Amino acid sequence: MTNKVIDIHEKPPGGQLITLSFQHMFAMFGSTILVPQLVGLSPAIALLTSGIATIIFLLVTQFKVPAYLGSSFAFITPMLLVSGGLDPEGAAVHPGNAMIGAMAVGLVYAVVSLLIYKSGYKWIMRLLPAVVVGPVIMVIGLGLAGTAVDMAMNISVEQLNPDTGETELVKQYSGWHFSAALVTLFAAIIFNVYFKNILSAMPILLGLVVGYIYSAIIGIVDFTKVKEASWFALPDFLIPGVHYEFHVTTNILLAMVPIVIVTISEHIGHQLVLGKIVERNYIKDPGLHRSILGDGLGTFVSALIGGPPKTTYGENIGVLGITKVYSVYVIMGAACIAILLSFFGKAMALVQTIPTSVLGGISILLFGIIASSGLRMIVDNKVDFGKNRNMVIASVILVVGIGGAAIRFSETFSIEGMALAAIIGVILNLVLPGRDKNIEEFE
């Protein structure tokens, strides 16, 4: 692409730098705070760690790659699995397990980075072709479809159990809440499809804003948390050995680590797209090993203090393409703003008052986009489904992943769902005949 306004190492004037940095912060804000809301973590800690992880990424990549790191959607299902789901207050039951898994993911990124540094990147392209990664991405989106619809349609209400005489929470359909979900969904669609300027790069945030305003009008927003919150508040840190026992189990590793198959492929795709926008070859300079290492270290440090796993954000790449401002100073500015905002207690309390139905409405779009992006990967890479091997690989991944298949070795040791689908997909691709051995050079 041409006609850049500000190149990578150019620094905009003070006022312009702040304005452009806020653009990037707003672009990533909606998705970054949505993930912790879905897995029962603190939105403030997710915002704080996104800023920290981005700074780490910029340092590792020698300030050559203007990418922002936000919360990864790929790990939602495994994080819920290992953390034991959510309690009635919407918090993760055992969040430490998810943090341990995220740290393991960061270490795996470091190992992959080292292997790429020593032996090049072609082996990973052979290991993770589109016929494997595309269907696994589809599993991630479609596997969460039921969660999105449930959040959009139903609310939890207390009901007396006549058999036990105890009060319990049950799901109940709410037309008003579902209307808020639909308003949120259609607002995001309108911003994404009908706006062609910077607004089109932040449909998630704008959809949440519109949905929130509508929810406040119809009276389903409880502002108690905002009134009680202080102006300054520390994020809810989760430190190993302090807030939870650091105990690594095979179940945690097998649930979280196989998702690296998807996230590393996603990372490579983002580096290629970003490279085309800013007219650089990031696979060679600073090198794929550095960008993967930056992503991994960002995820590791994030998990070390209680944040979700990180990934480079397509939303911010979209902002770069629209504004043609590629400056790493702007990305650094957005990271610093995110860090400062995470300590703003009133703002973080406001985030926590977003109705579940509004989050569900935006999740319908987001999870659908995730599934569609897997299909797009298959189409863009011209995967030939006339070949039986490709049909078999995709079919098995989809049914095993969405169906929730599991291999249980004992009561405490199992591989299931998305992780099992990813592992089976890699194995089938390696053992079935007819594998494409021609790997494209990245120029």
Side-chain angles (χ1 to χ4, degrees), residues 152 174-184 210-223 355 357-358:
S174 170
W176 281 114
H177 286 77
F178 192 34
S179 71
L182 293 177
V183 168
T184 305
V210 172
Y212 189 89
I213 293 172
Y214 174 79
S215 298
I217 292 172
I218 64 174
I220 62 171
V221 178
D222 182 1
F223 292 102
S357 55
V358 171

Side-chain angles (χ1 to χ4, degrees), residues 305-369:
I305 59 175
K310 297 294 182 277
T311 185
T312 49
Y313 258 20
E315 291 93 329
N316 295 88
I317 294 174
V319 172
L320 293 175
I322 292 169
T323 63
K324 294 182 172 56
V325 174
Y326 309 146
S327 173
V328 290
Y329 292 99
V330 172
I331 302 297
M332 177 71 82
C336 293
I337 292 171
I339 292 171
L340 292 173
L341 186 60
S342 69
F343 291 93
F344 185 19
K346 291 286 187 184
M348 293 299 98
L350 191 67
V351 167
Q352 291 180 309
T353 64
I354 298 174
T356 301
S357 55
V358 171
L359 298 176
I362 209 69
S363 295
I364 290 173
L365 177 62
L366 267 175
F367 299 159
I369 288 175

Side-chain angles (χ1 to χ4, degrees), residues 15-273:
Q16 189 180 14
L17 174 61
I18 293 173
T19 302
L20 293 169
S21 295
F22 265 105
Q23 279 186 348
H24 276 279
M25 196 278 294
F26 286 134
M28 66 80 190
F29 188 84
S31 298
T32 294
I33 63 166
L34 179 59
V35 172
Q37 295 277 72
L38 296 174
V39 299
L41 296 176
S42 161
I45 199 69
L47 201 59
L48 172 66
T49 53
S50 77
I52 294 172
T54 298
I55 292 172
I56 291 172
F57 181 84
L58 292 173
L59 287 168
V60 173
T61 56
Q62 303 172 321
F63 292 92
K64 294 180 179 180
V65 185
Y68 194 96
L69 270 62
S71 306
S72 173
F73 283 83
F75 293 95
I76 291 175
T77 298
M79 288 179 73
L80 286 171
L81 180 66
V82 301
S83 62
L86 306 180
D87 64 20
E89 299 297 321
V93 177
H94 301 292
N97 291 346
M99 297 303 101
I100 292 169
M103 286 182 227
V105 167
L107 293 176
V108 170
Y109 267 68
V111 171
V112 171
S113 170
L114 179 62
L115 291 174
I116 291 175
Y117 177 68
K118 292 294 185 182
S119 57
Y121 62 81
K122 289 189 176 182
W123 65 272
I124 200 168
M125 305 307 295
R126 294 191 181 97
L127 188 67
L128 306 176
V131 71
V132 172
V133 178
V136 173
I137 293 175
M138 292 175 69
V139 166
I140 293 172
L142 296 176
L144 290 165
T147 300
V149 172
D150 178 68
M151 291 171 62
M153 292 176 55
N154 302 317
I155 59 173
S156 296
V157 295
E158 291 186 348
Q159 185 172 305
L160 183 67
N161 188 323
D163 297 326
T164 63
E166 296 180 355
T167 302
E168 57 186 31
L169 287 175
V170 296
K171 293 287 186 180
Q172 182 176 300
Y173 173 79
S174 170
W176 281 114
H177 286 77
F178 192 34
S179 71
L182 293 177
V183 168
T184 305
L185 171 62
F186 288 116
I189 292 172
I190 289 169
F191 281 115
N192 185 247
V193 175
Y194 291 100
F195 286 77
K196 300 302 179 185
N197 52 20
I198 193 69
L199 295 179
S200 67
M202 50 185 81
I204 306 305
L205 174 64
L206 296 172
L208 288 172
V209 169
V210 172
Y212 189 89
I213 293 172
Y214 174 79
S215 298
I217 292 172
I218 64 174
I220 62 171
V221 178
D222 182 1
F223 292 102
T224 304
K225 287 184 177 179
V226 180
K227 294 175 183 176
E228 295 176 349
S230 59
W231 288 99
F232 174 85
L234 288 174
D236 296 325
F237 292 99
L238 286 172
I239 310 298
V242 177
H243 299 104
Y244 61 90
E245 182 182 354
F246 190 86
H247 181 57
V248 181
T249 67
T250 50
N251 271 356
I252 292 175
L253 297 180
L254 289 173
M256 297 282 289
V257 170
I259 310 307
V260 168
I261 291 170
V262 172
T263 54
I264 286 183
S265 179
E266 177 187 47
H267 176 94
I268 295 171
H270 282 170
Q271 294 305 295
L272 292 173
V273 172

